């Protein structure tokens, strides 16, 4: 082989390698965008489909022209500008149509989309060859051209099949490899099917784009487009990762005070109890409850109360020793642990240090307020050998101290502290059969579409009117009902009553009912709910069941099985109190909830608290990505409503719109809520992730 022939062969292979590489990288970026499109809905999905089509189409466009140039690089040639632009347009449109069809849900959708894309690739080559002028003549082999067309159709169908039906995480890479392989084999098939002969008498028109200029231009343009597309993907990936990290952080940290939460406390308790056994030490558990905090909330508002809790946490954090641990449980209650070999003396000293931080008044706005703390503690294994019981005993001691005297109190658990426990047991006995005696009531809190202020449903809330004590707080009797499993009958009564009221036209829109973790232990829960729907005549599509993540975490397989059965009936499933507790992304991945209910602890700090605003935006962005609308709880001010509406929160409920009302008072609440209806909905911007700082 002569030196010139060797050079021509090497140059030919180099151009083929460049075409294949450009196609491989460009289509890889496009397939990543296509994967995001498959995971989203609405305008977001269309945006990702367009990005995928532009990236993949541009890569195929560049690879097509480079492969044509490689047919015979030694010939003087050029391309018509209009044909060059037309090939790019056909590439993008064919990819967009192929991806759109391929992402549908009929049986052969991926293959049909691939055939459409393959047809577009064939059209690209036809237009490109018609716009290619050489200083000579080209002869074609019909059989070779037919083979090339068959390769284009079959390999395109295979690529979209792999992208839309990935068996493993590598299938999307395989789709890009298939398209790059297609460009490569089509080139060699065309090389074997064509014969180009130079003819000095042929003069190329002056308006043509020279081959070497077009080659450099398309590579540069595609690299720029692929860089832009890759940057978009990286930014989106980073945003989703930050959203996931922030949501995951909610599982172990109290976002307001920065202290560990109850989950982190339980893990530390288990670890320290094991250490106490091993080192022959003792472990003190503390329950710390603030006195007077409710008065601050009532007098100055929840915002001032939140700032006060942050200062309380900071003061207590500063007095912690090396073997001491502090966490926030909820509201104004904190938990502590202390490992020592000198209990109960060290436990008493720790409690006194904590109580001392309340000696100085706290600044709330332009006023000073005094708080005190009731502190109870119990020592493991002196007071109890059971690790899980030591905190219960600490709480008993705290409540005992709170009832004994006003102000800061420190009380250690004593075995005779059973009076309160006996009173709780008496209340639990009264709770048995409360539904049958007509003591239970349902109150309804209206839910509103934030965009236009219209009522879209109501949440059913259980109330207990005790014959002697009057109204008993749900926070008091619901835990008792769950402990005694009376909640099963009470929950069934609540569900039947709510469905009957809604079916009778007394509840506007959807009716939401809470399900207890105890109810999920019943294997026939789905059948019971189905029977209630048949009995009351309520459409399943008007019923929404609210569950907290802890409801299904004790037996996730069983819980998800029940949820899927309920969803199959047409019942909507909402995750309640999202942002507290576990807030696990794995649970959202395992089950497609119809709604996320944003916990009121974040809403009430809006819009002035930057950290709360960032968390709310994160949850809204997560809901948008997963196709799960978000309902915000605890909306109390116009400013909170406006903020949530602007950020894209779909629905809300709270005292701003309506307080929970009995069925008899509900029509009045509905009439009063009509003042929030807007003729023109608020402009909504897409949820976004924002970082506080």
């Amino acid at each position: 082989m002569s030196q010139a022939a060797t050079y021509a062969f090497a140059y030919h292979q180099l151009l083929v390698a460049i075409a294949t590489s450009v196609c491989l990288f460009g289509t890889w970026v496009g397939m990543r965008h296509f994967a995001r499109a498959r995971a989203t809905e609405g305008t977001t999905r269309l945006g990702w489909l367009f990005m995928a089509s532009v990236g993949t189409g541009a890569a195929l466009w560049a690879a097509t022209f480079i492969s044509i140039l490689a047919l015979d690089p030694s010939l003087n040639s050029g391309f018509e500008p209009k044909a060059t632009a037309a090939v790019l347009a056909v590439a993008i449109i064919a990819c967009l149509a192929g991806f759109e069809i391929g992402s549908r849900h009929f049986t052969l959708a991926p293959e049909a989309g691939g055939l459409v894309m393959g047809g577009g690739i064939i059209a690209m080559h036809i237009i490109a060859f018609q716009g290619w002028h050489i200083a000579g003549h080209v002869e074609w082999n019909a059989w070779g051209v037919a083979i090339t067309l068959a390769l284009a159709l079959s390999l395109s169908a295979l690529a979209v099949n792999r992208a839309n039906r990935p068996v493993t995480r590598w299938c999307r890479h395989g789709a890009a490899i298939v398209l790059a392989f297609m460009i490569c084999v089509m080139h060699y098939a065309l090389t074997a099917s064509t014969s180009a002969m130079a003819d000095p008498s042929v003069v190329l028109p002056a308006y043509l784009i020279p081959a070497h200029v077009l080659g450099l231009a398309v590579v540069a343009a595609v690299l720029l487009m692929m860089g832009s597309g890759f940057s978009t993907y990286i930014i989106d990936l980073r945003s989703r990762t930050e959203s996931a990290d922030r949501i995951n952080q909610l599982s172990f940290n109290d976002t307001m005070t920065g202290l560990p939460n109850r989950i982190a406390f339980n893990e530390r308790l288990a670890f320290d109890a094991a250490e106490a056994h091993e080192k022959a030490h003792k472990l003190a558990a503390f329950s710390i409850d603030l006195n007077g905090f409710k008065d601050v909330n009532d007098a100055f508002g929840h915002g001032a109360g939140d700032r006060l809790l942050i200062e309380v946490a900071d003061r207590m954090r500063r007095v912690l020793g090396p073997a001491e641990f502090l966490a926030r449980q909820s509201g104004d209650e904190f938990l502590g642990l202390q490992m020592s070999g000198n209990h109960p003396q060290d436990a008493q000293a720790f409690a006194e240090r904590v109580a001392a931080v309340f000696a100085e008044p706290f600044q709330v706005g332009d006023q000073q307020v005094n708080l005190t703390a009731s502190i109870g503690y119990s020592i493991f294994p002196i007071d109890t050998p059971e690790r899980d019981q030591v905190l219960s005993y600490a709480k008993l001691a705290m409540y005992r101290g709170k009832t004994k005297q006003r102000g800061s109190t420190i009380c250690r658990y004593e075995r005779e502290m059973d009076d309160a426990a006996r009173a709780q047991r008496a209340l639990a006995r009264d709770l048995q059969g409360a539904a049958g005696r007509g003591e239970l009531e349902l109150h309804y809190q209206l839910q509103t579409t934030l965009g236009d202020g219209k009522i879209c449903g109501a949440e059913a809330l259980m109330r207990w009117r005790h014959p002697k004590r009057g109204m008993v707080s749900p926070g008091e009797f619901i835990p008792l009902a769950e402990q005694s499993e009376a909640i099963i009958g009470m929950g069934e009564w609540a569900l039947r009553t709510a469905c009957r009221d809604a079916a009778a036209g007394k509840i506007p829109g959807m009716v939401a009912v809470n399900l207890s973790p105890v109810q999920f232990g019943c294997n026939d829960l789905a059948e019971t709910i189905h029977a209630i729907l048949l009995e009351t005549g309520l459409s399943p599509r008007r019923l929404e069941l609210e569950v907290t993540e802890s409801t299904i975490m004790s037996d996730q397989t069983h819980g998800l099985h029940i949820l899927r059965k309920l969803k199959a009936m047409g019942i909507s499933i909402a995750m309640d109190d999202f942002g507290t507790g576990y807030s696990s992304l794995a649970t959202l991945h395992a089950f497609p909830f119809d709604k996320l209910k944003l916990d009121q602890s974040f809403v009430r700090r809006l819009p002035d608290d930057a950290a709360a605003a960032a968390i709310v935006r994160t949850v809204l962005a997560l809901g948008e990505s997963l196709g799960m609308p978000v309902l915000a709880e605890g909306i109390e001010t116009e400013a909170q409503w406006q903020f949530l509406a602007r950020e894209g929160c779909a629905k809300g409920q709270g005292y701003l719109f309506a307080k929970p009302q009995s069925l008899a008072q509900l029509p009045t609440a509905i009439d009063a809520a009509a003042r929030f209806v807007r003729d023109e909905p608020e402009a909504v911007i897409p949820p976004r992730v924002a970082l506080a700082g």
Side-chain angles (χ1 to χ4, degrees), residues 346-371:
D346 286 351
Q348 182 68 23
F350 172 76
E352 290 173 355
R353 274 187 281 129
V354 171
V357 307
F358 297 92
E360 295 293 328
F362 295 85
Q363 192 71 30
V364 178
D366 57 353
Q367 298 189 36
Q368 290 187 336
V369 298
N370 293 298
L371 289 182

Side-chain angles (χ1 to χ4, degrees), residues 181-503:
F181 176 72
M182 177 193 69
I183 290 295
C184 187
V185 298
M186 284 182 67
H187 168 77
Y188 285 114
L190 288 172
T191 301
S193 306
T194 60
S195 176
M197 294 169 291
D199 185 350
S201 65
V202 177
V203 179
L204 298 180
Y207 66 86
L208 296 180
I209 303 173
H212 66 280
V213 174
L214 181 62
L216 293 174
V218 295
V219 171
V222 168
L223 288 177
L224 182 63
M225 295 174 71
M226 288 191 300
S228 176
F230 187 70
S231 299
T232 302
Y233 173 73
I234 292 299
I235 292 170
D236 176 69
L237 181 63
R238 178 68 181 271
S239 298
R240 288 187 288 128
T241 301
E242 290 174 350
S243 296
D245 290 343
R246 183 174 290 275
I247 296 297
N248 190 52
Q249 187 182 18
L250 297 177
S251 301
F252 295 97
N253 291 286
D254 176 58
T255 55
M256 182 170 64
T257 63
L259 291 175
N261 62 10
R262 177 61 186 268
I263 298 173
F265 176 85
N266 289 340
E267 292 190 357
R268 180 64 178 261
L269 175 60
F271 177 81
D272 283 356
E275 287 283 292
H277 273 302
E278 185 175 333
K279 297 179 179 179
H281 282 182
K282 300 176 182 66
L283 177 66
F286 299 83
S287 177
I288 306 164
D289 191 73
L290 306 187
N291 302 318
F293 178 74
K294 184 178 182 301
D295 296 334
V296 173
N297 261 348
D298 293 341
F300 301 98
H302 290 294
D306 292 342
R307 291 189 291 273
L308 180 59
L309 284 176
I310 293 172
E311 186 177 352
V312 168
D314 288 341
R315 287 193 188 184
M316 290 194 292
R317 190 187 287 113
R318 287 196 290 267
V319 303
L320 290 179
E324 297 166 350
F325 181 82
L326 185 69
R328 181 182 178 223
Q329 175 165 287
S330 62
D332 59 353
E333 187 173 356
F334 297 82
L335 306 173
L337 292 171
Q338 183 193 51
M339 177 85 75
S340 174
N342 189 35
H343 282 319
Q345 291 83 358
D346 286 351
Q348 182 68 23
F350 172 76
E352 290 173 355
R353 274 187 281 129
V354 171
V357 307
F358 297 92
E360 295 293 328
F362 295 85
Q363 192 71 30
V364 178
D366 57 353
Q367 298 189 36
Q368 290 187 336
V369 298
N370 293 298
L371 289 182
T372 59
S374 297
I375 305 172
Y377 68 91
S378 175
I379 299 172
F380 169 87
I382 297 176
D383 296 328
T384 173
E386 299 296 331
R387 179 192 72 198
D388 296 334
Q389 212 167 21
V390 66
L391 181 60
S392 298
Y393 284 173
K395 289 186 175 184
L396 278 176
M398 182 269 292
Y399 286 122
R400 174 69 176 271
K402 188 184 283 284
T403 57
K404 282 175 59 178
Q405 66 182 72
R406 297 178 62 85
S408 290
T409 59
I410 299 173
C411 186
R412 180 186 171 185
Y413 170 77
E414 298 174 357
R415 294 192 182 277
E416 61 270 15
M417 289 181 180
D418 288 329
D419 293 342
R422 281 196 292 270
Q424 291 291 301
R425 289 194 289 270
L427 194 62
R429 286 194 299 271
D430 292 343
L431 195 56
Q432 298 287 344
R437 295 191 298 270
E439 297 172 5
L440 296 182
E441 302 175 6
L442 281 187
H443 286 197
Y444 296 93
Q445 185 171 31
L446 298 176
Q447 297 176 336
T448 303
T449 302
L450 297 186
D452 56 17
K454 294 180 180 179
I455 296 171
C456 59
E459 180 181 6
L461 302 169
M462 193 183 300
R463 298 291 185 260
W464 181 23
R465 192 179 298 276
H466 192 276
K468 295 180 180 178
R469 295 180 51 180
M471 278 294 187
V472 181
S473 168
E476 185 176 1
F477 75 82
I478 293 295
L480 288 176
E482 291 180 334
Q483 291 172 14
S484 64
E485 296 191 354
I487 194 67
I488 296 175
M490 294 166 59
E492 186 175 332
W493 169 86
L495 185 63
R496 179 176 286 104
T497 303
C499 290
R500 184 183 297 116
D501 291 344

Side-chain angles (χ1 to χ4, degrees), residues 151-169:
L151 286 170
L153 293 173
S154 59
L155 291 176
S156 296
L158 177 61
V160 179
N161 174 281
R162 289 299 80 210
N164 201 56
R165 291 178 179 159
V167 179
T168 68
R169 59 181 297 189

